[in-house]
Amino acid sequence: MTAEVAELRPRRRTNLADEVATHIRSAILAGRLRSGERIDQDAIAEELGVSRLPVREALISLDREGLVHTIPRKGSYVARIDRDDIADHYQIFGQVAGLAAARAVARLDEEGLVKLVALHDRMSDAENLDEQQALNHEFHRMINMAADSPRMTSVLGLLSRSLPMPYTDFPAEWLDEANRQHRDIVDAFRRRDTLAAQRAMEQHITASARHAIEVLERLDFFEPE
């Protein structure tokens, strides 16, 4: 590899910067940092026991995600997030997840299909919410890994980090609906129907937007219109 090519490759952010970004992201999505609020880099650095460098790197990352708006020589501010932003984010996420599901249909072998069905059955029978969410996470992870696309996995990871709640977590009242949607996905995999799998996954993820918005409304997350 030439030095010129090496220089063109983006450097991977340090784990420390990722951890700081996770901390700030959580504060924004939980409403502890409100829309328009200036982010105090010194306070965050002191709170986390780090230098300002990983804080600055974290804010650059969050600016790219649309959670932070940085004004040169003035600082970084929490971006305004409204209901349409949440709906749009889930729709985009659903489209990419749908593509991954379509790819996975063709690549998941029979043994993998048996495991996927078993995960769905266990989730349907589970009574503990933590267990249900853990199985739900494994269900989606298995499909995404079966797609065998590093690029899709990377994009899904980026999109999932910016969701107002982990896309594999859901309110208890949504369990029955989620199980029905998972059944549609599993049925499409059984038929090896790529288009049906793509549509079912996309509908499943985008439906999460409604529940996310309802939760955020209860938390008084959105600014008055």
Side-chain angles (χ1 to χ4, degrees), residues 181-198:
Q181 292 167 353
H182 280 186
R183 184 174 62 246
D184 291 340
I185 295 169
V186 168
D187 287 345
F189 269 76
R190 281 172 167 157
R191 300 193 308 272
R192 299 296 182 179
D193 188 332
T194 57
L195 183 57
Q198 180 175 348

Side-chain angles (χ1 to χ4, degrees), residues 15-25 44 48 50 54-55 58 62:
N15 289 334
L16 189 56
D18 289 341
E19 292 173 7
V20 175
T22 297
H23 174 81
I24 299 173
R25 186 186 299 111
I44 291 175
L48 299 180
V50 300
V55 178
L62 293 171

Side-chain angles (χ1 to χ4, degrees), residues 78 139 146 191 213 217:
V78 178
F139 180 86
R191 300 193 308 272
I213 290 171
E217 286 175 341

Side-chain angles (χ1 to χ4, degrees), residues 23 38-50 52 55:
H23 174 81
R38 188 176 187 276
I39 299 174
D40 189 332
Q41 296 186 34
D42 291 328
I44 291 175
E46 182 177 355
E47 178 185 1
L48 299 180
V50 300
R52 288 191 59 176
V55 178

Side-chain angles (χ1 to χ4, degrees), residues 91-101 152 155-156 159:
Q91 183 175 9
I92 295 168
F93 188 32
Q95 289 173 348
V96 181
L99 290 173
M152 285 188 189
V155 172
L156 286 169
L159 290 169

Side-chain angles (χ1 to χ4, degrees), residues 33-223:
L33 287 173
R34 306 294 295 185
S35 173
E37 183 175 346
R38 188 176 187 276
I39 299 174
D40 189 332
Q41 296 186 34
D42 291 328
I44 291 175
E46 182 177 355
E47 178 185 1
L48 299 180
V50 300
S51 69
R52 288 191 59 176
L53 179 58
V55 178
R56 287 197 298 269
E57 292 176 342
L59 290 173
I60 291 172
S61 175
L62 293 171
D63 188 286
R64 291 170 180 162
E65 293 179 23
L67 294 176
V68 166
H69 176 55
T70 300
I71 302 175
R73 295 182 296 279
K74 288 189 176 181
S76 297
Y77 300 81
V78 178
R80 185 177 187 274
I81 302 173
D82 59 25
R83 293 166 181 80
D84 287 341
D85 292 324
I86 301 298
D88 289 346
H89 195 100
Y90 274 91
Q91 183 175 9
I92 295 168
F93 188 32
Q95 289 173 348
V96 181
L99 290 173
R103 181 80 62 86
V105 166
R107 299 188 175 185
L108 190 68
D109 59 21
E110 288 302 316
E111 181 181 355
L113 179 58
V114 170
K115 292 180 179 179
L116 187 68
V117 172
L119 278 172
H120 169 61
D121 291 342
R122 288 173 59 196
M123 182 178 167
S124 299
D125 295 337
E127 297 181 357
N128 179 275
L129 183 59
D130 289 339
E131 181 184 3
Q132 292 162 353
Q133 293 187 345
L135 291 168
N136 189 46
H137 171 79
E138 182 61 21
F139 180 86
H140 285 278
R141 190 193 71 84
M142 185 174 182
I143 291 174
N144 293 339
M145 295 302 294
D148 194 25
S149 171
R151 182 58 58 88
M152 285 188 189
T153 300
S154 176
V155 172
L156 286 169
L158 174 62
L159 290 169
S160 67
R161 285 195 296 272
S162 301
L163 293 175
M165 62 181 68
Y167 82 99
T168 52
D169 292 352
F170 44 84
E173 60 267 24
W174 189 40
L175 178 61
D176 290 340
E177 182 178 346
N179 281 332
R180 288 194 299 271
Q181 292 167 353
H182 280 186
R183 184 174 62 246
D184 291 340
I185 295 169
V186 168
D187 287 345
F189 269 76
R190 281 172 167 157
R191 300 193 308 272
R192 299 296 182 179
D193 188 332
T194 57
L195 183 57
Q198 180 175 348
R199 288 175 175 171
M201 180 62 77
E202 184 174 340
Q203 291 170 0
H204 173 54
I205 298 297
T206 54
S208 304
R210 183 176 74 257
H211 299 282
I213 290 171
E214 290 173 355
V215 170
L216 292 173
E217 286 175 341
R218 290 199 293 268
L219 295 173
D220 195 29
F221 177 85
F222 299 109
E223 296 294 319

